Amino acid sequence: MKKILSAAILLLITTTTFAQVSSRPDSLSQAKYRTEASLDLTLPDFDTKEIDSTVMGPQLADILEFLLENYQQTVYNRQLAQILKKQIPSLDYDDLHLTKIWFLNAQKKDDEITLLFTVWLSKNSANIKKVNLVFRFKSGVSDSQETNELFSEVSKFV
């Protein structure tokens, strides 16, 4: 009986410790992405159809300009395609390529930032030619790991 009780206690301790350790890196990575992307949440709320550093802050404006200028580079095109595949599951099994990207809107309300683009796609099995791509950030980070990685990486260049 002592052996069973001891084994149960060890299992409980191991499970509890693992749960605490596994939740901690997530908050650490969010803090890392928040710092690296450094989206300015101190700005007043905005809703704009233009990339304007005086409205959305220089960091976000530079990131968006960089993406529009460099989306055809293989690394960024693949990252954008992966993000889009998560948003539109019917595209998940295609080797997707973005042929054109167009900025539509940026909006900030309180601590939430939403960015909207229209993207044109290469031929795909879902027969989708044009679709909206949305980036959402709350308190400077996205729920999408891929989006956080993209914005973190791009922010190093701008």
Side-chain angles (χ1 to χ4, degrees):
M1 187 65 156
K2 283 184 178 181
K3 287 183 181 182
I4 293 173
L5 187 57
S6 296
I9 290 173
L10 284 174
L11 181 61
L12 181 63
I13 291 171
T14 304
T15 306
T16 305
T17 303
F18 178 73
Q20 290 173 351
V21 170
S22 65
S23 67
R24 191 170 171 203
D26 186 44
S27 62
L28 288 175
S29 66
Q30 283 192 342
K32 174 186 151 232
Y33 289 132
R34 185 176 293 112
T35 302
E36 288 177 355
S38 59
L39 302 179
D40 190 355
L41 299 173
T42 63
L43 293 166
D45 290 354
F46 58 81
D47 189 352
T48 181
K49 294 182 186 303
E50 296 179 21
I51 298 174
D52 183 349
S53 63
T54 61
V55 173
M56 62 179 60
Q59 180 72 2
L60 180 56
D62 288 345
I63 289 172
L64 297 179
E65 289 288 347
F66 183 92
L67 284 174
L68 291 175
E69 292 170 9
N70 296 287
Y71 75 92
Q72 289 187 330
Q73 290 184 25
T74 304
V75 65
Y76 301 117
N77 204 291
R78 283 187 182 154
Q79 286 178 301
L80 290 165
Q82 284 303 111
I83 293 166
L84 192 58
K85 287 178 181 184
K86 296 273 182 162
Q87 293 180 14
I88 304 172
S90 60
L91 295 170
D92 195 30
Y93 300 105
D94 285 306
D95 183 25
L96 204 57
H97 180 76
L98 283 65
T99 59
K100 184 177 175 184
I101 186 168
W102 189 262
F103 174 76
L104 289 178
N105 181 269
Q107 184 177 42
K108 178 187 175 288
K109 184 161 173 63
D110 300 324
D111 69 342
E112 293 184 24
I113 296 175
T114 304
L115 308 170
L116 181 62
F117 293 83
T118 297
V119 295
W120 285 260
L121 305 174
S122 60
K123 190 173 182 176
N124 57 74
S125 63
N127 204 25
I128 297 173
K129 295 178 182 176
K130 181 172 85 168
V131 68
N132 285 341
L133 173 64
V134 181
F135 297 107
R136 286 191 178 86
F137 300 89
K138 182 157 176 80
S139 301
V141 292
S142 174
D143 287 339
S144 163
Q145 180 74 14
E146 294 83 4
T147 298
N148 288 327
E149 289 173 6
L150 174 64
F151 275 71
S152 176
E153 184 177 317
V154 169
S155 69
K156 294 174 186 175
F157 293 105
V158 299

